[in-house]
Amino acid sequence: DVKVTQSSRYLVKRTGEKVFLECVQDMDHENMFWYRQDPGLGLRLIYFSYDVKMKEKGDIPEGYSVSREKKERFSLILESASTNQTSMYLCASSPGTLREQYFGPGTRLTVT
Amino acid sequence: QKEVEQNSGPLSVPEGAIASLNCTYSDRVSQSFFWYRQYSGKSPELIMSIYSNGDKEDGRFTAQLNKASQYVSLLIRDSQPSDSATYLCAVNIRTGNQFYFGTGTSLTVIP
């Protein structure tokens, strides 16, 4: 079975803090993704990566950055957390172009 | 127009009935289509993938794709209370790795 893990299930941070969300997959997948999910807005793509050290902006990259130093690990960084970044953050991985995505359990981030 | 649209529901069906979930998409060149199930407070779980026109069956689930009409549907036969969840449709847009998700249809199966 594909396994995607995320570093925290719940996280509470203060406005202005730098926040790191970690994602690890164990299936040697090429592609990895970061989404946020908000009620009524669905899943929105923040960033994705199709190779080590490669990254592409999704639909809502503002206020976020990513890092992929190893194939199995994809990190999402909130440079200066704001209250409008309170959300559920979901990481996913995929074996290749146009293929299915497998999701981690999610991190519910609250910024106060 | 949104890239992927679903009726948000809620959709209620009695136990044992067929649940029908629909999704339309905007990009004619889309090639990959997926259905995910998401229980409250959990992450999406892949149910079905479909890549070519027609029907694809997996147990109680059938995905139907009609590229000419740009819709994809999911049928759940013999619906069970455990099928109560939100169902997300996902479609690749243009080429490459980016997928768009619908906002989901909430399904309740009534015992």
Side-chain angles (χ1 to χ4, degrees):
Chain A
D1 278 353
V2 175
K3 188 148 188 194
V4 181
T5 58
Q6 295 184 230
S7 49
S8 306
R9 289 301 308 275
Y10 301 95
L11 207 53
V12 179
K13 294 292 182 181
R14 294 199 179 274
T15 302
E17 280 193 84
K18 191 168 187 175
V19 181
F20 293 86
L21 302 181
E22 298 274 320
C23 176
V24 178
Q25 50 95 3
D26 67 355
M27 285 302 291
D28 200 36
H29 283 177
E30 301 291 331
N31 303 321
M32 297 187 75
F33 307 81
W34 275 106
Y35 295 90
R36 63 178 284 177
Q37 187 174 32
D38 302 287
L41 297 177
L43 279 156
R44 293 180 291 168
L45 182 64
I46 304 171
Y47 269 97
F48 64 98
S49 168
Y50 52 88
D51 202 353
V52 176
K53 297 191 185 295
M54 304 300 287
K55 62 184 179 185
E56 293 282 345
K57 292 180 180 179
D59 294 318
I60 52 165
E62 296 79 18
Y64 304 94
S65 62
V66 291
S67 173
R68 194 167 181 200
E69 296 295 320
K70 294 185 178 182
K71 190 175 185 179
E72 68 271 18
R73 189 180 298 270
F74 192 36
S75 302
L76 180 70
I77 303 149
L78 285 66
E79 298 291 343
S80 177
S82 63
T83 55
N84 62 12
Q85 293 179 309
T86 292
S87 186
M88 170 69 90
Y89 288 87
L90 290 159
C91 175
S93 72
S94 171
T97 302
L98 304 180
R99 294 287 305 277
E100 67 280 5
Q101 296 182 12
Y102 298 92
F103 285 86
T107 295
R108 186 164 294 282
L109 172 68
T110 301
V111 182
T112 62
Chain B
Q1 183 188 5
K2 291 183 180 177
E3 288 83 1
V4 179
E5 297 208 54
Q6 296 180 252
N7 188 330
S8 62
L11 175 66
S12 294
V13 300
E15 184 174 354
I18 296 175
S20 178
L21 306 162
N22 299 308
C23 172
T24 58
Y25 60 94
S26 62
D27 192 343
R28 291 189 173 274
V29 302
S30 295
Q31 299 174 61
S32 303
F33 308 86
F34 305 94
W35 283 99
Y36 287 83
R37 177 175 61 201
Q38 187 173 24
Y39 293 114
S40 180
K42 302 292 186 181
S43 61
E45 171 192 10
L46 180 68
I47 300 176
M48 295 281 289
S49 59
I50 187 166
Y51 298 91
S52 54
N53 275 329
D55 294 1
K56 179 181 179 182
E57 188 173 314
D58 184 1
R60 296 186 296 112
F61 298 97
T62 299
Q64 299 175 318
L65 175 61
N66 184 323
K67 289 188 177 181
S69 300
Q70 294 175 235
Y71 81 79
V72 56
S73 62
L74 179 70
L75 301 179
I76 306 174
R77 290 183 300 281
D78 187 25
S79 295
Q80 301 297 309
S82 59
D83 295 326
S84 298
T86 297
Y87 290 80
L88 305 175
C89 171
V91 181
N92 85 296
I93 299 296
R94 298 176 284 279
T95 58
N97 294 311
Q98 188 160 355
F99 285 77
Y100 280 89
F101 286 78
T103 53
T105 298
S106 174
L107 172 66
T108 300
V109 180
I110 303 167

